[in-house]
Amino acid sequence: MNAKVNISNRAGASFPVRRMNFNFDDVPEYWMNGSAGLTHFMTALSALFPDGEKLFIDSVRAVRYHPSIKDNEALQKEISAFIGQEAMHTHEHAGFNASAQKYGHDVAKYERQTGVVIQTARKLFAKVVKPFGMTQEMVDLTATTALEHFTATIASQLLVNNHIQELMTDSTMSTMWFWHAIEENEHKAVAYDVYEAVFGKGVKAYALRSSALIFAMTLIFIAQSSFVFNLLKEDKKLNLKELSMIYKYAYSPSKGIIAGMTKEMFAYFRPGFHPNDLDTVQLLETWKAKLGF
């Protein structure tokens, strides 16, 4: 593993904060099976994380001392560990994104664009739902709850899809993504539990979280796809070969990572849904052992 790991559980939560320190200096330009298309697909996804993870942290922090949860010691410990894990994800993805610059891929530009999309979307959505008595804090936490379901679902696909794992041929990058995937599933219920504790389980809360997922997934698909297209175009690799590899990796019904997410993504729309309904306990134990955690 090309990383120094310091595991801390000072918060006393059900999961630890692993302080990683990956060295991306020797990561090759096309680290994913030598393919520009596959590499740029994951780089475009990585470009979403620094500002996305900041939204997650800020939205939970904004309500953590709400009267309904401020004295919930167990949940407060989970929140602290959640913030710690998300902060590390931001740090390591920002480090990888910066390392891609040396190959001439301006990932910083796509990080900035992600920030603009997030801020524009959250303010627009808040205006739409304001007549229904919903605040900006509620909108931000709802977006985080929806996006956490997305990240946990795509993460579990990384951990179960052998085809995808075989394509991650660089050990540093594969370890980074598998570490991130483990932690997204470890803390997948935290934002949801905060959301339900603060805003309840009524019709309004259900309608908002369901519509937020549709809105968020639409924006992610548009943003990430445009980043992939532009990265390939700027790299002069926008061709049928690379696009077909992306299709097989992401969207093909038999092996695609996005196609494999469908069932779990739709589970979010079930009334009474909870993230822990999707059991990944044994999966995480297996992968933590593989990575020496």
Side-chain angles (χ1 to χ4, degrees):
M1 184 192 305
N2 192 10
K4 297 177 182 178
V5 187
N6 179 19
I7 300 178
S8 169
N9 197 14
R10 288 179 295 176
S14 63
F15 53 88
V17 176
R18 300 175 184 87
R19 304 192 183 282
M20 311 295 286
N21 186 18
F22 288 100
N23 182 353
F24 299 108
D25 290 348
D26 295 326
V27 172
E29 181 174 15
Y30 304 128
W31 60 266
M32 195 160 182
N33 204 40
S35 165
L38 298 182
T39 299
H40 289 327
F41 183 91
M42 297 303 286
T43 300
L45 194 61
S46 184
L48 300 173
F49 283 124
D51 277 82
E53 308 278 16
K54 184 178 184 301
L55 171 67
F56 301 166
I57 292 170
D58 290 346
S59 68
V60 173
R61 272 182 175 157
V63 299
R64 76 175 299 178
Y65 297 116
H66 187 278
S68 64
I69 61 172
K70 68 183 181 68
D71 296 323
N72 186 330
E73 185 177 345
L75 185 55
Q76 288 294 330
K77 290 177 179 179
E78 299 290 283
I79 290 171
S80 294
F82 168 85
I83 290 171
Q85 284 194 343
E86 295 291 33
M88 281 309 306
H89 300 170
T90 300
H91 181 268
E92 296 303 328
H93 278 277
F96 162 67
N97 294 347
S99 76
Q101 300 284 138
K102 69 184 178 185
Y103 295 115
H105 309 306
D106 191 5
V107 186
K109 174 176 66 177
Y110 300 114
E111 287 184 4
R112 291 192 297 271
Q113 290 177 11
T114 298
V116 171
V117 169
I118 288 173
Q119 295 307 316
T120 302
R122 60 185 286 270
K123 292 173 183 176
L124 175 62
F125 199 69
K127 286 183 179 180
V128 171
V129 300
K130 186 176 181 180
F132 302 99
M134 297 172 187
T135 64
Q136 184 70 66
E137 285 182 347
M138 187 175 187
V139 167
D140 292 346
L141 185 59
T142 307
T144 293
T145 303
L147 288 166
E148 278 291 296
H149 180 61
F150 165 75
T151 55
T153 303
I154 196 170
S156 65
Q157 278 297 303
L158 284 176
L159 300 179
V160 301
N161 192 315
N162 292 329
H163 172 65
I164 294 166
Q165 293 159 19
E166 289 168 0
L167 294 171
M168 290 192 167
T169 48
D170 181 78
S171 60
T172 297
M173 293 306 298
S174 63
T175 302
M176 185 190 78
W177 282 102
F178 296 146
W179 154 71
H180 191 164
I182 288 169
E183 295 197 344
E184 286 299 335
N185 275 274
E186 284 181 328
H187 69 231
K188 65 182 178 181
V190 177
Y192 196 96
D193 287 342
V194 171
Y195 179 79
E196 283 200 337
V198 174
F199 301 119
K201 304 179 183 180
V203 174
K204 185 165 74 172
Y206 170 77
L208 184 60
R209 73 168 176 85
S210 298
S211 58
L213 183 64
I214 296 170
F215 187 62
M217 291 305 96
T218 302
L219 285 179
I220 285 178
F221 177 77
I222 293 171
Q224 195 264 355
S225 296
S226 69
F227 293 172
V228 173
F229 179 87
N230 287 325
L231 281 165
L232 285 169
K233 185 178 179 181
E234 291 162 1
D235 201 17
K236 296 181 174 54
K237 299 285 186 178
L238 185 60
N239 55 57
L240 188 60
K241 176 186 174 183
E242 297 297 343
L243 291 175
S244 64
M245 291 183 72
I246 290 173
Y247 169 78
K248 184 177 181 181
Y249 169 72
Y251 302 107
S252 69
S254 60
K255 296 182 178 180
I257 185 171
I258 303 300
M261 295 169 60
T262 305
K263 184 178 179 180
E264 290 189 4
M265 288 302 297
F266 275 105
Y268 192 80
F269 297 105
R270 186 176 67 246
F273 166 81
H274 189 273
N276 289 337
D277 294 341
L278 304 171
D279 186 4
T280 54
V281 173
Q282 188 55 54
L283 178 66
L284 296 188
E285 289 303 315
T286 299
W287 273 96
K288 283 188 285 187
K290 284 184 180 181
L291 296 187
F293 290 162

